[in-house]
Amino acid sequence: MTPIATDDIRNSAVRIIIRLALGNYLLRGPGGNILELESRVAWATAVNELQNEGYLMVTPQEYAAASGLTEAEVVEQVEDEGSLFALFFPSEGEQGMVVPLEREVKEHLGPLPL
Amino acid sequence: MCLILFALEAHPRYRLVLAANRDEFYDRPTAPASFWDDAPQVLAGRDLTGGGTWCGITTGGRIAAVTNYRDPRTYREGAPSRGRLVADFLRGEMTPAALLERLHREGNSYNGFNLIFGDGSELLYFSNRGALPARVPAGIHGLSNHLLDTPWPKVARGKEALAKLLAARDEPAPDDLFAILADRTPAPDHLLPDTGVGPERERLLSPLFIATPTYGSRSSTVILIGRDNTCTFVERSFNGAADHPRTVKFRFTIALPVTFPVR
């Protein structure tokens, strides 16, 4: 599995947040690799838009299953190593983190309409 | 521009305080700041070679400023004018977010640049040299020929001076800001950046105000946007040792309310 470049997806996510006025965001994590949004709506919208740009966003559990890692190892890549991008919103009792599994080539779609 | 210092939502009376130096060869034809004949809402100086500008504002509150990203290794002759980015944004109606998308798609056709741009509702930053695009947060910022807030000595020195001024003055005067921009102190050698032009040139380019026989700070610009939406724009232009500085000053009320969000 080819890892997604953190810079590329972070760049895309921030542009989406600005374009759609999704509110404030915070970059944290060891590599600035965790992008935290302020609401679930903003987070879900950003996830959807990243999917439209070709990123397959999954939960750490799904990423673990696809990559042969444990969920704890995936979270470690996000929280401790900073090697995996995550889109996050703080929540209680529900999954508030997704990570990119892979990127689908969508060159035929051309630039996204504004 | 080669140095932009600005305070966004960091002063009780002003939403934006911007002080910037444009560094250029003295023989490059330039028109001083004025309202443009072909776009009367635009107030900016004009680069008469490329047709663009380095910094400007409109009566509707659109604002933009550009700096080059210094990297002679990747410089390409014939690349489109970076000053056009500022001029086109000021003249047009594209939203800042739409321009951000366009820059994402087309930015690599330009030589290295940093662009600060906004319309009164938000101020955005984009560089085609790898920085994360951003909605500029409230605070004191500095931009030279690397990325936003890269702590080059002139950037750090300028930000510190701007922060001290704004903390000390209820009503910062343009002359106070010009004094910051006039600082000709070179950086100590051990703090010089390495951008590929050699240590001697790095030293010459290291002060806030640059003065060499052929190249240097051609103009200093101060823009103050008050919380009452009045805009004060003052430009002081230089042409090396040959001329005395010339100053032009404008004051107007921005038509649309300026409401940079506070984060």
Side-chain angles (χ1 to χ4, degrees), chain B residues 2-263:
Chain B
C2 283
L3 178 67
I4 305 172
L5 306 169
F6 62 103
L8 182 66
E9 298 290 358
H11 189 272
R13 297 189 63 163
Y14 291 98
R15 296 190 184 283
L16 180 71
V17 176
L18 182 147
N21 276 342
R22 177 199 183 215
D23 304 329
E24 188 49 84
F25 288 98
Y26 301 132
D27 60 1
R28 187 165 172 124
T30 297
S34 67
F35 285 100
W36 291 5
D37 290 340
D38 55 343
Q41 77 279 20
V42 175
L43 173 59
R46 208 152 190 179
D47 170 27
L48 300 177
T49 302
T53 185
W54 52 96
C55 176
I57 190 167
T58 72
T59 50
R62 295 168 76 82
I63 187 167
V66 69
T67 70
N68 295 346
Y69 182 98
R70 193 191 309 150
D71 183 2
R73 291 161 293 198
T74 61
Y75 184 82
R76 287 176 290 114
E77 286 290 342
S81 159
R82 292 163 283 194
R84 288 269 186 177
L85 291 170
V86 177
D88 289 349
F89 177 73
L90 293 175
R91 269 193 294 233
E93 296 180 352
M94 185 177 270
T95 65
L99 177 58
L100 189 67
E101 292 295 322
R102 186 183 144 202
L103 293 171
H104 172 68
R105 293 194 303 269
E106 302 173 5
N108 285 337
S109 62
Y110 295 84
N111 284 313
F113 72 87
N114 298 284
L115 190 66
I116 302 277
F117 54 106
D119 64 358
S121 64
E122 58 185 351
L123 194 64
L124 303 184
Y125 164 71
F126 178 88
S127 172
N128 65 348
R129 287 297 180 267
L132 189 67
R135 189 188 299 133
V136 180
I140 308 279
H141 299 281
L143 175 62
S144 185
N145 301 116
H146 200 256
L147 303 174
L148 182 64
D149 292 324
T150 295
W152 280 8
K154 69 163 82 175
V155 174
R157 192 177 173 89
K159 284 171 66 175
E160 186 182 351
L162 180 59
K164 278 184 184 170
L165 172 68
L166 297 185
R169 297 281 172 88
D170 290 338
E171 187 60 64
D175 280 349
D176 297 328
L177 294 153
F178 284 128
I180 293 173
L181 295 170
D183 186 344
R184 300 186 184 208
T185 311
D189 282 2
H190 70 282
L191 294 179
L192 292 175
D194 179 8
T195 62
V197 299
E200 189 176 341
R201 282 188 185 173
E202 297 287 9
R203 199 174 300 119
L204 286 171
L205 299 174
S206 69
L208 281 83
F209 190 96
I210 296 170
T212 79
T214 57
Y215 177 92
S217 298
R218 292 283 305 272
S219 64
S220 297
T221 306
V222 166
I223 299 176
L224 301 165
I225 299 179
R227 296 193 180 279
D228 58 356
N229 293 319
T230 55
C231 173
T232 302
F233 182 114
V234 189
E235 181 192 83
R236 190 167 287 174
S237 53
F238 313 89
N239 205 8
D243 289 335
H244 293 295
R246 297 174 189 179
T247 302
V248 291
K249 183 172 181 178
F250 303 86
R251 190 173 168 87
F252 58 93
T253 300
I254 292 171
L256 292 174
V258 176
T259 55
F260 294 119
V262 179
R263 294 182 59 205

Side-chain angles (χ1 to χ4, degrees), chain A residues 7 10-12 14-19 21-27 53 111-112 114, chain B residues 94 96-102 104-105 122 124 126 130-135 262-263:
Chain A
D7 284 353
R10 184 173 52 191
N11 190 312
S12 293
V14 170
R15 280 189 299 102
I16 287 166
I17 292 165
I18 292 171
R19 187 178 76 226
L22 297 180
N24 292 336
Y25 59 92
L26 174 68
L27 282 167
E53 292 201 6
L112 290 170
L114 294 173
Chain B
M94 185 177 270
L99 177 58
L100 189 67
E101 292 295 322
R102 186 183 144 202
H104 172 68
R105 293 194 303 269
E122 58 185 351
L124 303 184
F126 178 88
L132 189 67
R135 189 188 299 133
V262 179
R263 294 182 59 205

